[in-house]
Amino acid sequence: MDKVIDAFSARLLERGIPLAPRQLEQFQRYYELLVDWNERMNLTGITERAAVFEKHFYDSVTLAFYADLSSADRLADIGSGAGFPSLPLKICFPQLQVTIVDSLAKRISFLQHVCEQLGLEDVQCVHGRAEDIGRLPEHRDRYAIVTARAVARMAGLSELCLPFARKGGLFAAMKGADPQEELEEAKHAIRELRGRVDRVETLRLPEEQSERAIILIAKTDATPKAYPRKAGVPLKQPLLKRRG
């Protein structure tokens, strides 16, 4: 009996996400690869098995509690790091076509290796800055769901992510505790980038009880031509409403 796998599987089943033995094997292999590669490069500060399953895998899949991923076709994960949340979501929802954008070549190599080892198909790992990739026709205004997990403050993050979402699509920002201050600061940027805050969902991780928030932003129209601005600008000079 494997308590970690059993608890993980049961908690997702409670939320209507059943996992087959093959999917549970993929999560276990993902964990092994994460810990192995983490000895050679900095992927995560969390390596204890139960903690990885809760704070990385379960936490990633919580997006599916609030967004319909079972019928979504294309998902983009911006600044994915070690593959969170996109690869756990891909394991749970194999029909997703996933694009992962990350600026560090070594991380892209890790993610490609994970996909090969786990037999994950229709995953495109793109090395580059989101500001540059978001201007390419094959990625701009193309995705049903765009997500980022703990990457940057909302005002700058919106400019990195919303250009990837298509009209009628969703940008889901996965945050820690209470994001209201960030959201207030980002109102102008979200509107400028043709987004509308749909709702903010909050939850606690089952064991650790740490708070999480998921900000769901609807894409109302195509991205204006001015955005995203040059690489580095959105985070250094976020679109804040001028006073006065």
Side-chain angles (χ1 to χ4, degrees), residues 11 25 30 35 52 66 73-74 89 92 95 113-114 121-122 127 158 165 168 174 177 192 207 213 224 228 232 235 244:
R11 283 178 180 134
E25 286 168 13
Y30 190 179
V35 172
V52 169
Y66 309 107
D73 55 356
R74 301 185 75 194
L89 290 168
C92 292
Q95 93 289 347
H113 184 69
V114 170
E121 298 178 351
D122 288 326
H127 174 230
S158 297
M174 304 183 75
E192 187 75 10
E207 286 294 328
L235 298 187

Side-chain angles (χ1 to χ4, degrees), residues 82-93:
F84 308 126
S86 51
L87 291 188
L89 290 168
K90 172 66 178 175
I91 293 170
C92 292
F93 301 95

Side-chain angles (χ1 to χ4, degrees), residues 6-114:
D6 289 348
F8 176 70
S9 178
R11 283 178 180 134
L12 290 183
L13 186 59
E14 284 171 10
R15 303 301 300 241
I17 304 172
L19 296 178
R22 163 79 174 142
Q23 290 165 299
L24 294 172
E25 286 168 13
Q26 287 174 315
F27 274 113
Q28 174 57 25
R29 183 67 182 132
Y30 190 179
Y31 166 71
E32 291 165 2
L33 292 167
L34 180 68
V35 172
D36 178 36
W37 279 60
N38 200 56
E39 292 178 3
R40 301 188 293 280
M41 57 186 285
N42 181 28
L43 290 166
T44 177
I46 300 167
T47 55
E48 195 270 321
R49 185 165 174 257
V52 169
F53 269 80
E54 178 177 46
K55 296 181 186 179
H56 284 325
F57 297 165
Y58 179 88
D59 188 27
S60 292
V61 180
T62 58
L63 176 55
F65 302 170
Y66 309 107
D68 182 10
L69 291 182
S70 59
S71 64
D73 55 356
R74 301 185 75 194
L75 178 143
D77 184 7
I78 310 305
S80 178
F84 308 126
S86 51
L87 291 188
L89 290 168
K90 172 66 178 175
I91 293 170
C92 292
F93 301 95
Q95 93 289 347
L96 282 173
Q97 296 173 47
V98 171
T99 298
I100 296 174
V101 178
D102 200 275
S103 60
L104 197 64
K106 283 197 291 187
R107 279 199 295 255
I108 290 291
S109 296
F110 166 72
L111 296 169
Q112 289 171 330
H113 184 69
V114 170

